[in-house]
Amino acid sequence: PAIVEPEISATWGGQTPVYPVKDPSVASALDTLGVLHQRDLPGRARTLFGFVTDEVQTLGRGSDDALLTLARREGSALGKVRLLITLLRAAGVPARPARGLLLGSGREPAESTWVQARLEGSWVAMAPVEGWYEDAPPGLLRIASGEAPLLRMTGLEGSGYRWRALREFGAALWDLAGD
C-alpha cells in the first residue's frame, strides 16, 4: 500500500470511541469485502465507499453508531458517515468527517456531512448518503473538518439556529475550513 504521512495517520487513522476500527465486526467486514488484498489505497476507498453507499440503507431515524449501522446494514446519514470512516481507517486509509452547507438557488441552505479520505497526498471528498465521490455537488460549502461542530455556541441555554444565504454576484465562495 501507499505510504501515508505519519502525522495524518496519527490524527485521522486511529481508533476512537466514535470510530471503533479494532472491533472484530469491522475486521470481518473488511475480510468479506476483500479490501485488505487490494494494494492501492484508492481502490480500497472505492470498494468501501461502494459498500456503504449501496449496501447500507439510510434511515431518517436510524442509528448514528458505526457498529450498529454495520450490523443492521442501516443507519442514519451520520451513522453511514461514521461507518465509512471506521472502515476506511481500519483499511489503512486516514479519514475524517467534514461538514458544511449545500447552497442553491431558490432553496434554504441545507446542512451536509460527508467523508474526507487521505489518498495520494490529498483529501478526497465522498458522500455515502448522496452517492458522490470526488466530485462534490455545486454549491457545497465546507465549514469544518474533523470533529469540530458546524456551529458552536457558548454561554447559552436553550438556543436554536437556522441558516440563510444571500446570493451575491461576482463574489466567490470560500472554503471556510481552510486547510
Side-chain angles (χ1 to χ4, degrees):
I3 297 173
V4 178
E5 308 93 325
E7 64 279 1
I8 298 289
S9 287
T11 305
W12 305 112
Q15 169 143 327
T16 71
V18 175
Y19 308 111
V21 300
K22 296 178 183 175
D23 189 88
S25 64
V26 172
S28 176
L30 294 180
D31 186 50
T32 300
L33 295 168
V35 263
L36 297 181
H37 299 294
Q38 294 176 289
R39 305 281 300 147
D40 67 311
L41 295 183
R44 290 179 182 188
R46 283 199 178 276
T47 298
L48 294 171
F49 172 78
F51 168 71
V52 175
T53 300
D54 299 332
E55 304 297 327
V56 178
Q57 185 179 7
T58 307
L59 300 176
R61 293 182 182 248
S63 175
D64 292 343
D65 182 80
L67 294 179
L68 287 175
T69 300
L70 176 61
R72 296 177 180 163
R73 297 293 194 269
E74 62 183 29
S76 68
L78 181 57
K80 286 181 73 166
V81 164
R82 287 178 172 171
L83 174 58
L84 181 54
I85 291 170
T86 299
L87 293 171
L88 286 165
R89 288 181 178 190
V93 179
R96 65 187 183 189
R99 281 167 304 293
L101 298 174
L102 186 55
L103 308 172
S105 183
R107 68 171 187 239
E108 291 292 317
E111 290 185 23
S112 184
T113 302
W114 61 96
V115 174
Q116 292 179 314
R118 189 69 174 190
L119 298 170
E120 300 177 334
S122 63
W123 291 104
V124 175
M126 54 190 79
V129 175
E130 294 84 4
W132 53 265
Y133 186 101
E134 288 187 273
D135 298 321
L140 186 66
L141 175 65
R142 181 172 59 114
I143 296 176
S145 290
E147 300 303 322
L150 190 57
L151 181 65
R152 182 176 295 139
M153 295 183 239
T154 59
L156 299 173
E157 290 184 32
S159 64
Y161 67 93
R162 74 180 190 137
W163 299 100
R164 184 168 170 218
L166 301 174
R167 184 179 182 135
E168 294 192 25
F169 294 95
L173 287 179
W174 293 81
D175 183 352
L176 298 180
D179 69 352

